[in-house]
Amino acid sequence: MAGITDLPTRQIVQGFGAGLVVSEMVASREMVEAKPSVRDRAELGTRVEGTSVQIAGRDGLWMGQAARLLTDQGARMIDINMGCPAKKVTGGYSGSALLRDHDRALRLIEAVVAATDVPVTLKTRLGWDDDSRDTAALARRAADAGIRMLTIHGRTRCQFYKGDADWDAIRPIVEAMDIPVLANGDITDTATARQALARSGAAGVMVGRGMQGQPWILAQIARDLGFGGPVTVPNATGFVDLARTHHAAIVDFYGPALGGRVARKHLGWYMDRAGTPADLRRAVLTAPVSAVDGLLCGALDGPGKQAA
């Protein structure tokens, strides 16, 4: 998730025992041309086990070059984003805009697969809108082109994140494929993961926004489904320590000025979970970076404010 799953956040999530994490979406051309902001996002942990690097673009040349560059840097897996609904992405004929042009989408997939010898996966949606829920056709062509795994967000592009994810609509895609298909959308805990698996028939689930404020949830879901080892869900004190550690890691990664701004969204999600009163929330989000650590105990710890 752009602006969210940066290296510090992925390290926090992996620290709890998540099996696979995915980098922020990186624009392929900008990465190849080495624009600093993109390369910062592309502190991708390419050599870190259990990390997939996600790229986006509209031109096979740049997509292929980005895949080759990432492979040379040690990437273990490359994911192609054809699901992002943001207007600034679809307006450039990237992300879920490619659901309107399967031939173009396939050319990009073929370019990436041809450029690398690591597994290439695809993340997409049910279709562009309710009148064109035709991702199954693209998925079959993508598998024939060499895609090794497919993740389907159970909404169309035009839904953005409104309404409920339609896990039932993923099932026909699962049944049409010989590669693993993961269900995505509205998966926030073990109960929703079980429902998504049962209704979609998918081989697994991908958690996106559901990890906000609870970075242990991927590992917890995996454990509850019978995969992975023990997971220590933080209690109230541990929750404060987690938020402090996360904040410090972001500030260290980006520097105090930018890091302080980037960290606010994560602190906001932690405070959402803790039910932090509005005045304390405002104090944390407006405080100088040097003062945040001292405020977090009062903002996150207290009666009923446990993470579990």
Side-chain angles (χ1 to χ4, degrees):
M1 294 180 287
I4 299 174
T5 53
D6 54 19
L7 184 62
T9 299
R10 295 197 310 274
Q11 289 174 331
I12 293 287
V13 172
Q14 285 183 306
F16 283 101
L20 176 68
V21 295
V22 183
S23 76
E24 294 182 83
M25 180 182 69
V26 180
S28 55
R29 180 170 182 171
E30 285 81 353
M31 182 179 181
V32 173
E33 292 180 336
K35 293 188 176 179
S37 62
V38 175
R39 281 298 176 92
D40 287 343
R41 277 203 300 277
E43 238 349 290
L44 300 168
T46 51
R47 299 184 186 276
V48 178
E49 188 174 356
T51 298
S52 176
V53 181
Q54 187 179 87
I55 61 175
R58 62 178 182 178
D59 186 294
L61 173 66
W62 296 111
M63 292 283 281
Q65 288 190 22
R68 190 174 302 111
L69 175 62
L70 290 165
T71 303
D72 290 344
Q73 291 178 350
R76 313 291 185 88
M77 181 182 297
I78 293 173
D79 187 55
I80 301 173
N81 184 299
M82 293 188 180
C84 180
K87 291 181 180 179
K88 66 180 181 180
V89 175
T90 59
Y93 301 103
S94 298
S96 56
L98 291 161
L99 294 173
R100 293 184 293 180
D101 188 343
H102 289 187
D103 290 339
R104 185 188 190 106
L106 190 67
R107 289 195 295 271
L108 300 185
I109 291 167
E110 290 171 339
V112 173
V113 171
T116 181
D117 56 2
V118 303
V120 178
T121 63
L122 177 65
K123 171 75 159 47
T124 187
R125 288 182 168 235
L126 295 174
W128 176 257
D129 57 24
D130 283 335
D131 293 326
S132 57
R133 290 191 172 204
D134 53 0
T135 296
L138 174 61
R140 287 191 294 269
R141 297 176 70 184
D144 290 342
I147 289 294
R148 301 278 292 277
M149 185 174 73
L150 176 70
T151 301
I152 303 290
H153 183 107
R155 292 181 175 87
T156 65
R157 183 271 172 183
C158 289
Q159 284 181 271
F160 287 84
Y161 296 100
K162 297 177 181 177
D164 296 327
D166 187 351
W167 299 321
D168 297 296
I170 299 173
R171 181 173 287 277
I173 302 172
V174 172
E175 294 174 346
M177 306 299 291
D178 293 323
I179 61 172
V181 178
L182 306 185
N184 173 241
D186 295 349
I187 298 167
T188 58
D189 53 23
T190 301
T192 50
R194 291 188 192 280
Q195 293 174 35
L197 289 171
R199 288 169 52 184
S200 68
V205 296
M206 177 175 283
V207 178
R209 294 173 298 151
M211 58 72 60
Q212 294 168 353
Q214 50 174 4
W216 61 85
I217 198 62
L218 283 81
Q220 184 178 11
I221 289 171
R223 179 203 64 189
D224 292 345
L225 294 178
F227 304 96
V231 180
T232 301
V233 177
N235 57 19
T237 301
F239 190 53
V240 175
D241 291 341
L242 168 64
R244 283 173 163 169
T245 299
H246 198 170
H247 177 259
I250 291 172
V251 170
D252 182 64
F253 182 71
Y254 292 104
L258 178 57
R261 295 194 297 272
V262 171
R264 287 173 188 157
K265 63 173 77 74
H266 293 282
L267 296 179
W269 292 321
Y270 287 131
M271 288 188 286
D272 286 344
R273 183 167 183 82
T276 303
D279 58 338
L280 279 176
R281 181 187 183 92
R282 187 163 48 251
V284 170
L285 297 182
T286 58
V289 170
S290 60
V292 169
D293 189 72
L295 292 170
L296 286 176
C297 184
L300 297 176
D301 192 10
K305 293 180 182 177
Q306 294 194 357

